[in-house]
Every structure is written in structure tokens, then in C-alpha cells.
Amino acid sequence: MDKIVKSDAEWRAQLSDMAYKVTRKHGTERAGTHEDFPKDPGTYMCICCDAPLFDQEAKFESGTGWPSFYQPVDGEMVGESVDRSFFMKRTEVHCNRCDAHLGHVFPDGPQPTGLRYCINGVALAFEPEE
């Protein structure tokens, strides 16, 4: 996979203020502010680099206010790291292609994986299936 590397100024010019805050500065959007994605078949792409991250079929309603998925399209595209902010230990997930912060993964999701990828909606773009 080709890594996407841009300067801070390039990311600021490309992204909305909230997408920049979330993806480049590890922010979090307020719950319930970005759950307006279509229900049609398709793929959720990284807002920064268009990498395919999650399939509509893996999306589920978690009741958290953030888009939730039980698995990524390709495990190679979504990386993990330890997040110790806010006096907690969580597993952060990011796009392996451009290092965009996406959200966190928790072990309380549905089968078949038992995982809940809790993703900031502003970090995603939806591409309908053709």
C-alpha cells in the first residue's frame, strides 16, 4: 500500500474544520451528529485518502450515536494503537494509508467478530455500490 503523506497545511486545505480536528488532531465529533449515511449497499471510505475501510454490510446500530461496524473491509487498511487519553486505556483505530484517526474499537460488538468499531462519521465518505 502506498502511504499518503501531506503537510499540515495541505490537510487543512483539503478537509472541513471538523474532519481536520478529528482525523489529524485525534478529536471526536459529538455523538449523533453524523449518522446520516445512506442505507444502500456501498463502502465507507477514508475522508482523507479514499481508502476503503468499512462495508455497509458490517454496519450496525450500536445506540452510541456514532457509526459502528463489526469489522473492516480489509484488516490491513485499519491499524490500531493504544490511546491513554482521558485517564482511560482504549484501542484507537486509524487509516493505515494516511494515518487518519478514525475512532476506537471495543470488544462489545455483535457476532461474528464481537467487535465494535466506533467511528467518527466525519472521518468517512460513503461510496454507493454500482
Side-chain angles (χ1 to χ4, degrees):
M1 146 187 18
D2 292 331
K3 288 290 274 186
I4 304 291
V5 178
K6 295 184 180 185
S7 70
D8 192 60
E10 288 172 309
W11 287 123
R12 280 185 185 271
Q14 174 185 329
L15 301 168
S16 70
D17 289 343
M18 182 54 79
Y20 174 80
K21 178 183 174 187
V22 168
T23 62
R24 308 323 304 176
K25 298 299 179 184
H26 300 260
T28 300
E29 68 188 358
R30 203 172 78 244
T33 59
H34 210 97
E35 246 314 314
D36 57 348
F37 290 109
K39 306 289 186 227
D40 302 324
T43 304
Y44 292 88
M45 315 294 279
C46 176
I47 196 71
C48 295
C49 71
D50 294 325
L53 300 174
F54 299 97
D55 190 275
Q56 181 74 289
E57 289 183 13
K59 190 173 187 298
F60 68 97
E61 181 53 54
S62 66
T64 63
W66 287 280
S68 297
F69 305 86
Y70 60 80
Q71 70 185 13
V73 169
D74 177 351
E76 295 291 315
M77 293 307 293
V78 177
E80 297 181 0
S81 58
V82 175
D83 175 1
R84 286 192 164 83
S85 63
F86 303 110
F87 306 105
M88 295 182 276
K89 182 180 176 187
R90 302 178 291 175
T91 303
E92 177 187 340
V93 291
H94 57 268
C95 174
N96 271 338
R97 187 170 182 214
C98 69
D99 295 325
H101 169 73
L102 302 172
H104 294 85
V105 62
F106 301 96
D108 60 1
Q111 292 306 316
T113 65
L115 299 175
R116 173 175 54 95
Y117 287 84
C118 188
I119 306 299
N120 289 281
V122 73
L124 303 172
F126 184 74
E127 185 174 296
E129 193 175 282
E130 292 182 14

